[in-house]
Amino acid sequence: MLSFPTQLAAATNNAYARVFSYCLGDRDARAESPTSSYLVFGRATDPPGAAFTPMRTSARKPSQYVVDMVGFSVDGAPVVLTGADDLALDPATGRGGVVVDSGATVSRFALHTYAALRDAFDARATAAGMRNVRENISVYDACYDLPTTTTARVPAVALHFAGGADVLLPRRNYLVPVESRGRTYYCFGFMGFEPNSADERSTLGNVQQQGFHIVFDEERERIGFAPNGC
């Protein structure tokens, strides 16, 4: 009964079917031409192009919306991950899995997982002629000096979820403009954390979610991602 959709369903004789969806507009949209965001309660036809993955339940954090990821790819090549499988929920311990969280800004993954993704992106970016400035800018440790992202050859990044749900991110969802020393740099918009706590869990933040119509379907126990949703 913690979530608003569950309470709404109980108060309305399940008229809203424990389903809600939203789309987060472009955070960099100009004031005179903003991209609209929205939040909708109730079941509707699945949005075009939606890819669904099972919604997992964590006994440790039952109020969170958790999914399993199976990996990443850069320019279509799978990223080789090493170490523990932290992207999938372990039902015995309640650890692992990825929280879909609109309140978090940047997606965070265990450090070894993040480093593998970052290094795979950087290798492709360097081969494409993107210049890594080789210093931390703000909270990011992989930033590039580009005249503009529209003319640069930027490697494609995709997220792969359980159940065959593949989400290809627009470049604005993973190249974040950051001002430093009077210039704009473009930083790889993910972060890593040291997995030293049972409460730490990978998170899919709102930077990566922007522009997608995201469906939270508690009745069918699934979460869907549809591109070009706003």
Side-chain angles (χ1 to χ4, degrees):
M1 294 297 291
L2 288 175
S3 72
F4 182 73
T6 300
Q7 296 180 58
L8 185 63
T12 60
N13 197 25
N14 209 34
Y16 290 89
R18 292 170 59 208
V19 178
F20 71 97
S21 62
Y22 59 69
C23 188
L24 304 176
D26 185 353
R27 69 190 186 284
D28 296 320
R30 299 174 63 183
E32 60 268 28
S33 57
T35 305
S36 296
S37 301
Y38 58 79
L39 172 64
V40 178
F41 292 96
R43 183 173 301 287
T45 302
D46 289 346
F52 285 90
T53 187
M55 181 188 296
R56 303 296 307 277
T57 300
S58 170
R60 187 181 296 274
K61 296 284 187 179
S63 62
Q64 294 179 332
Y65 295 100
V66 181
V67 295
D68 291 341
M69 284 188 66
V70 297
F72 313 86
S73 60
V74 177
D75 272 350
V79 175
V80 177
L81 301 177
T82 59
D85 184 10
D86 56 283
L87 297 176
L89 179 68
D90 183 342
T93 64
R95 301 190 68 173
V98 179
V99 179
V100 183
D101 185 359
S102 62
T105 304
V106 177
S107 295
R108 299 171 71 246
F109 299 97
L111 191 57
H112 61 271
T113 298
Y114 162 70
L117 173 60
R118 177 202 60 205
D119 293 349
F121 177 84
D122 186 62
R124 295 274 180 166
T126 299
M130 293 172 58
R131 189 177 75 84
N132 190 327
V133 298
R134 303 298 175 187
E135 63 179 271
N136 290 10
I137 298 178
S138 183
V139 297
Y140 304 106
D141 63 359
C143 297
Y144 300 86
D145 186 6
L146 304 174
T148 171
T149 58
T150 58
T151 58
R153 166 66 180 89
V154 178
V157 175
L159 312 179
H160 304 293
F161 296 89
D166 301 320
V167 176
L168 180 64
L169 296 177
R171 62 181 59 178
R172 69 177 180 274
N173 289 35
Y174 58 90
L175 273 189
V176 179
V178 181
E179 298 291 333
S180 178
R181 301 186 298 274
R183 299 189 60 178
T184 299
Y185 297 91
Y186 292 87
C187 299
F188 191 55
F190 297 86
M191 294 176 61
F193 65 87
E194 291 286 355
N196 55 7
S197 168
D199 291 329
E200 288 279 15
R201 177 172 283 143
S202 297
T203 302
L204 185 68
N206 58 48
V207 170
Q208 281 66 52
Q209 295 181 46
Q210 67 178 339
F212 285 90
H213 183 145
I214 303 181
V215 180
F216 295 79
D217 187 341
E218 293 188 64
E219 282 199 335
R220 299 184 187 179
E221 298 183 330
R222 61 180 189 161
I223 294 178
F225 304 85
N228 306 312
C230 295

